[in-house]
Amino acid sequence: MDGVEAITLTVAELERDPQEISRRSRPRTPLIRREDGTYIAMPARDVEQLITDPRTRQMETDSMRVRGVTSGALYDFFAYSMLFTNGPAHRRRRAPLSRAFAVKLIADLRPRIRAVANELIDAVEPRREMDLLDEYSALIPARMIADILGIEPSDVPRFTRWAYTMARAINSSFTRADVPEIEEAARQLTAYVEEMVARRRAEPRDDLMTSFVRGVEGEGNMSAFEAAIQLVTLILAGSDTTRAAMTMQVSLLLQHPKQWEAVCRNAALIPGAVAEALRYEPSVGSVPRFTLVDIGIDGVTVPANRLLTLSTVSAMRDPECHAEPDRFNIRRSDQ
């Protein structure tokens, strides 16, 4: 692509129809430059390569500084969460949670997840209709996180509201105008989790939070505040993306009635339907990185010390990877 340049677009233009923007721009250039200076990589081959490229790193607090945030609960979340840190700090913060959050725990939860799902459907069955997002997709991850962490059921609405508000900070399109509301949610959720950690230290239970706290104390290399931030990370990671993925899955199937009917008749099609929904409309639309040096991508240069967004929305519909990428097909063989 000799002589090409990054296309510059506003946040509003990108949000209007990201799939159409990617479809139109990808053949012309590998990169979009957002008005705030963030670069967006679109081709699947570049997204896949850059996600582990040693010339980039996780963004740490850079996305906050770009928006003028240099202190406070939201800044601390980006500074101390394993999600945004690199190297030894990432591994140190992740290890106790990885041990506590074992595969067996998830397997043991499956019957409980099914029971909660059926309970939510039974509650609206007399009405013969439901608000899928608010009455189902948002409640399943909230209820399961509460079960896993031993959170009181009465607290679920509060911590869920904080989590969904705070999750907006991870969205690459969040702006300075959003900061005050998100900062308050971050402050309240962090304080709530810190209090729970202190209670588990004083009164251990048979739950993941107690297991995590014991692991942290056993290692002796993480403060109580850092431990709380990792649990806040878990709450956010398990809430927003799950809610979005479940809602989009059903929406896509309803928009394709023959495939909906096929899944209803044959449960063996469910894994393919889930994979195709995540490809067609990924609940994680991008992965943020930070450039350490100038990086050339197909003739276009991303300067050093810039935020670089790797667009999974674009990559998952790249025709170099998928036949008929804009067709929703649960029987697809090129996942």
Side-chain angles (χ1 to χ4, degrees):
M1 291 188 181
D2 293 338
V4 299
E5 295 181 0
I7 300 169
T8 300
L9 296 172
T10 66
V11 172
E13 287 173 319
L14 286 165
E15 287 193 331
R16 193 172 299 124
D17 190 344
Q19 293 289 8
E20 178 58 28
I21 290 288
S22 299
R23 189 181 303 113
R24 192 170 65 241
S25 304
R26 199 168 43 232
R28 299 163 52 197
T29 175
L31 292 166
I32 288 174
R33 185 181 184 276
R34 210 168 61 191
E35 59 184 342
D36 63 2
T38 298
Y39 283 79
I40 302 171
M42 295 179 291
R45 66 179 181 278
D46 295 323
V47 168
E48 186 173 11
Q49 186 267 321
L50 288 165
I51 207 164
T52 56
D53 194 311
R55 295 173 298 173
T56 72
R57 62 162 169 77
Q58 189 47 275
M59 62 181 174
E60 298 180 353
T61 58
D62 301 295
S63 67
M64 292 295 99
R65 293 179 182 278
V66 164
R67 293 167 175 86
V69 180
T70 57
S71 63
L74 185 57
Y75 181 87
D76 287 343
F77 172 67
F78 278 78
Y80 293 102
S81 169
M82 62 180 174
L83 193 59
F84 306 108
T85 48
N86 296 276
H90 170 79
R91 291 188 290 272
R92 176 172 56 80
R93 290 165 180 165
R94 182 182 177 215
L97 197 57
S98 297
R99 287 191 291 270
F101 210 83
V103 172
K104 185 179 183 301
L105 171 69
I106 304 304
D108 290 346
L109 279 172
R110 289 184 184 277
R112 173 61 179 153
I113 295 170
R114 291 192 181 96
V116 169
N118 288 329
E119 177 187 324
L120 294 173
I121 292 172
D122 290 344
V124 299
E125 197 276 336
R127 298 193 338 235
R128 306 299 296 171
E129 64 177 26
M130 74 187 311
D131 182 319
L132 181 71
L133 178 63
D134 292 335
E135 294 182 304
Y136 189 79
S137 300
L139 295 182
I140 289 180
R143 294 269 296 272
M144 296 320 304
I145 289 171
D147 280 3
I148 292 168
L149 297 181
I151 296 171
E152 295 298 327
S154 59
D155 285 346
V156 169
R158 278 198 306 158
F159 93 76
T160 302
R161 183 172 64 253
W162 296 330
Y164 288 148
T165 300
M166 194 173 166
R168 287 161 45 198
I170 302 173
N171 188 317
S172 60
S173 62
F174 122 88
T175 66
R176 292 191 183 197
D178 300 313
V179 169
E181 183 182 4
I182 298 174
E183 168 68 22
E184 179 60 18
R187 186 189 66 77
Q188 295 198 60
L189 182 57
T190 302
Y192 177 79
V193 174
E194 283 188 284
E195 183 183 338
M196 286 198 300
V197 169
R199 285 206 305 264
R200 289 306 187 280
R201 281 199 167 95
E203 302 173 5
R205 298 184 189 177
D206 183 19
D207 59 19
L208 180 140
M209 186 176 293
T210 299
S211 176
F212 173 70
V213 168
R214 284 173 174 164
V216 168
E217 290 179 336
E219 293 286 344
N221 61 2
M222 194 187 307
S223 69
F225 179 74
E226 277 185 287
I229 292 295
Q230 308 326 306
L231 292 171
V232 170
T233 302
L234 174 64
I235 290 170
L236 263 63
S239 300
D240 197 52
T241 55
T242 309
R243 173 183 66 160
M246 292 174 68
T247 305
M248 190 58 67
Q249 170 93 59
V250 176
S251 174
L252 287 168
L253 286 170
L254 289 174
Q255 292 173 57
H256 299 83
K258 290 184 179 178
Q259 297 188 66
W260 167 270
E261 291 165 6
V263 169
C264 291
R265 289 193 304 268
N266 182 5
L269 293 173
I270 291 174
V274 172
E276 177 66 347
L278 290 171
R279 180 198 72 84
Y280 195 81
E281 291 289 356
S283 58
V284 178
S286 62
V287 178
R289 304 295 291 171
F290 188 80
T291 59
L292 301 176
V293 297
D294 290 357
I295 298 176
I297 302 174
D298 293 333
V300 186
T301 299
V302 182
N305 303 314
R306 291 292 183 93
L307 292 176
L308 172 62
T309 296
L310 310 181
S311 175
T312 48
V313 165
S314 172
M316 293 295 191
R317 295 214 202 171
D318 190 332
E320 289 193 10
C321 295
H322 304 286
E324 299 182 282
D326 295 316
R327 179 182 170 225
F328 180 74
N329 177 15
I330 63 173
R331 293 180 172 85
R332 182 179 294 277
S333 61
D334 59 350
Q335 283 293 354

